[in-house]
Amino acid sequence: MPVLLPLPLAGAYDYAVPEAMEVAAGAVVTVPLGPRLVHGVVWHGTAAGTVSAAKLRAIASVVPTPPLKPALMRFIDWVADYTLSAPGEVLRMALPVPAATEVPRPRVGWRLVEAPAEGARITAERARVLEVLRGAPGLVWTGSDLARAAGVTPGVLRGMAQAGLIAPAPMAGLADQPLRADAAAPALTPAQAGAAASLRHAVAAGGFGVTLLDGVTGSGKTEVYLEAVAAAIAHGRQALVLLPEIALSAQVIDRFTARFGAPPAVWHSEVAGARRRATWRAVAEGRAPIVVGARSALWLNFAALGLIVVDEEHETAFKQEDGVTYHARDMAVVRARLERVPCVLVSATPSLETLANVERGRYARLHLPERHGAAGMPEVAAIDLRRTPPPRGRFLAPPLVAAIEETLSRGEQALLFLNRRGFAPLTLCRACGHRFQCPNCTAWLVEHRYTRTLQCHHCGHTEAAPQTCPACGAEGSLTAIGPGVERVAEEARALFPAARVLEMSSDTVRGAHSAAAMAAMIENREIDLIVGTQLVAKGWHFPHLTLVGVVDADLGLAGGDLRAAERTFQVLHQVGGRAGRAAQAGRVLLQTWNPGHPVMRALVSGEVERFVTEEMAERRAGGWPPFGRLVAVIVSAGEAAVADAAAAALRRAAPAGERFVVLGPAPAPLAVLRGMHRRRLLLKAAREVDVQALMRDWLAAAEVPRAARIDVDVDPVSFV
Ligand code: ADP
Ligand code: ZN
């Protein structure tokens, strides 16, 4: 029988089935491989190599875990084929060991006690815990869910147990979570209700179809797709909701909890140990009706999938760049097709890929025209830095400073956005001009002032920030060039000494808990001014935030990436969408040296359609995606000469034809990364070209030195 191993091998290996063992396709088994026993899955089709029956080794055991569903196996084959990966590498994502192979131990959670101990002290924190528990009587909460929902530390729960206020209770699995499809549905506006009805119908009818759900930030898209999720669970099916940065999505998960009366199953890389095992199994056994997850959740073994939702579908975080390179949004559509279920793509700023599919009539579109309730769209204005530049060595222009002052004096909150970590992106010696560069990468070192270090944001190289120039020995000559969030926060603290400033970047926000804690501080108005990277652009809802200042609106436009304009528009629109989401009107100020740029004009005028039309026209004229296909080939080697030789070999073997062209090789923008020399080639083809077949022939024909490594990226998103 063919057994696929989660290893980078060409295909499945053949194994004998011992007498008295019963196995079918999909079964998880252990098999001998060399001297070891490894996990694998009995595959469909035939094995790659043939071995004489006498030499065939036998399957060692069948693992007592749910077999992989046929649709998931087809999905694995499909993705391997599309991304030009080994099927076993794709399987590794669907068969996380040990989560998928070990029997989860019963877990213990918390519940209310029937007769609470009298005289126990009820602090504000304890009261919140009791309120959460009373909100869903009979429900057993995991410690971390309960602590998060109540905004307390796990220590508070232990204290309450000792005081006899709550009691431990077994959780056999997620099946015990009694989700209610009708728990807390709000009254929808007519536009929302229309969209929701349409999605409910698609879910009830079943079958494959893709719908784009778009509408400005705050228009109720989440509210609408929750209705589709409700429809799925009402029909006894599972719903998968993919979020780009799930670890930071506490607010969204809380909305699921509020809407359905119990927390959803959550799946991402931070979910570990017993919880990971329990979740994998609950999904495979159909006991987890709702899964909210990162792109890796796409690989779960759903027992009865009924719906896939991809929220913020335009986000580049859905593209996995290492290992198997795949785009989770695109592969979500593929999985939905193989599972014959509807797929909903959600965004305020849909990708051009998705909009092109709407234009071609392949995707349906549901549009929500306006913000919910009293909230209007924020007013967007550009601050022309040529006319009103910030004072020397500072980064906030006078009009922005004035607006922050005004906002704070009204007791409202402001957000300063700069998509750059650290204090300064470049350090320079004023005496000799020396610049600090990473020893492993073609990149400047970024100063991080709190940790007094210089860091490479590509490879993680870190060194202590020196006092003297290592090149010329001058003292006190090192100068920070340009701003990062740390520097803007420093400037803000100096300008507004009374304001409580919070910095949010991946240096200060460490995982789900710290993100949730910061969000709670903002909601509780313990913060006046937030300074943050793209981490703050995501779906947060802060009712008292009324001003968003973009420190460097031009930042993303540099570099000439194919999608630079589209992406800048998306991220600035998204971060601007944080302003004025409740009663008070919001305002967005963009600091720019180029207010005439189409992206700035579109943001200021709100003429989204026009921007999209112009951008589409440019892509169409150039034959770029979504009107053409790209496959990137990245050659890397420890020595530059080897990288060059490999790139030249690929060039010589490059296919030629009418409908496609091979560009390059050229040094990658990050010509050296982690000590590896990198060269890039790009296959650019018309949409109807079978690029996978072309690539396979090409790679087979090229005589590449063994010391070079070749990575293939189908539909590349990053070009560094
Ligand atoms: P989007 O996903 O489009 O950004 P949300 O679904 O997050 O929008 O809605 C924005 C805010 O408005 C949320 O706080 C949401 O709960 C609220 N909201 C949206 N629609 C309704 C409704 N029909 N009734 C009550 N509140 C609503
Ligand atoms: Zn580096």
Side-chain angles (χ1 to χ4, degrees), residues 186-189 192 216-223 255 372 541 581:
L188 298 179
T189 65
Q192 292 171 345
V216 295
T217 51
S219 56
K221 297 185 294 298
T222 312
E223 224 53 79
R255 278 177 76 175
H372 174 73
H541 181 69
R581 289 174 66 94

Side-chain angles (χ1 to χ4, degrees), residues 185-190 192-193 213-226 252 255 311-312 346-348 368 370-373 375 539-541 574 577-578 581-582:
L188 298 179
T189 65
Q192 292 171 345
L213 173 61
D214 75 339
V216 295
T217 51
S219 56
K221 297 185 294 298
T222 312
E223 224 53 79
V224 169
Y225 80 63
L226 287 176
V252 180
R255 278 177 76 175
D311 198 358
E312 313 287 9
V346 185
S347 176
L368 300 179
E370 58 200 14
R371 275 198 166 176
H372 174 73
W540 304 102
H541 181 69
Q574 198 77 29
R578 302 310 108 210
R581 289 174 66 94

Side-chain angles (χ1 to χ4, degrees), residues 26 46-47 135 156-157 162 164 183 199 210 221 263 265 299 383 411 417 459 481 541 596 653 717:
T46 49
V156 173
L157 302 181
Q162 272 159 18
L199 293 182
V210 185
K221 297 185 294 298
W299 301 99
I383 295 177
F417 171 72
C459 73
I481 307 290
H541 181 69
V717 165

Side-chain angles (χ1 to χ4, degrees), residues 592-635:
T592 172
W593 293 97
N594 192 358
H597 192 284
V599 168
M600 304 310 147
R601 289 215 313 262
L603 288 165
V604 169
S605 68
E607 287 174 303
V608 181
E609 299 287 333
R610 196 169 104 193
F611 172 73
V612 168
T613 310
E614 288 173 6
E615 190 66 21
M616 284 274 202
E618 270 186 39
R619 301 268 187 98
R620 189 180 277 122
W624 297 106
F627 304 99
R629 291 180 194 282
L630 297 179
V631 181
V633 181
I634 301 111
V635 181

Side-chain angles (χ1 to χ4, degrees), residues 439-584:
N440 315 316
C441 306
T442 319
W444 306 126
L445 292 178
V446 179
E447 181 186 354
H448 285 248
R449 199 153 274 193
Y450 300 133
T451 52
R452 298 215 177 90
T453 55
L454 298 175
Q455 295 181 17
C456 173
H457 286 180
H458 300 286
C459 73
H461 168 86
T462 302
E463 53 188 68
Q467 300 298 314
T468 55
C469 175
C472 71
E475 259 180 62
S477 67
L478 300 179
T479 315
I481 307 290
V485 274
E486 288 182 10
R487 197 169 192 180
V488 171
E490 184 185 270
E491 185 174 336
R493 285 194 189 97
L495 286 167
F496 313 104
R500 295 161 297 177
V501 177
L502 176 70
E503 249 180 78
M504 289 180 84
S505 74
S506 53
D507 296 305
T508 59
V509 182
R510 300 228 165 249
H513 280 282
S514 107
M518 288 191 185
M521 281 168 73
I522 300 170
E523 278 175 67
N524 298 337
R525 306 177 87 159
E526 291 158 31
I527 296 298
D528 304 303
L529 184 56
I530 307 150
V531 182
T533 60
Q534 43 104 23
L535 226 84
V536 299
K538 303 295 151 63
W540 304 102
H541 181 69
F542 298 127
H544 307 290
L545 180 68
T546 56
L547 174 70
V548 170
V550 176
V551 177
D552 185 353
D554 311 324
L555 187 61
L557 293 171
D561 182 322
L562 158 73
R563 296 186 182 84
E566 178 189 357
R567 223 177 276 155
T568 301
F569 177 78
Q570 286 162 342
V571 77
L572 295 186
H573 186 88
Q574 198 77 29
V575 70
R578 302 310 108 210
R581 289 174 66 94
Q584 299 102 341

Side-chain angles (χ1 to χ4, degrees), residues 35 39 110 142 167 169 195 228 247 272 295 339 350 465 512 538 548 592 602 631 643 647 714:
H39 284 100
W110 298 107
T142 66
R295 57 189 183 217
E339 300 268 0
K538 303 295 151 63
V548 170
T592 172
V631 181
V714 179

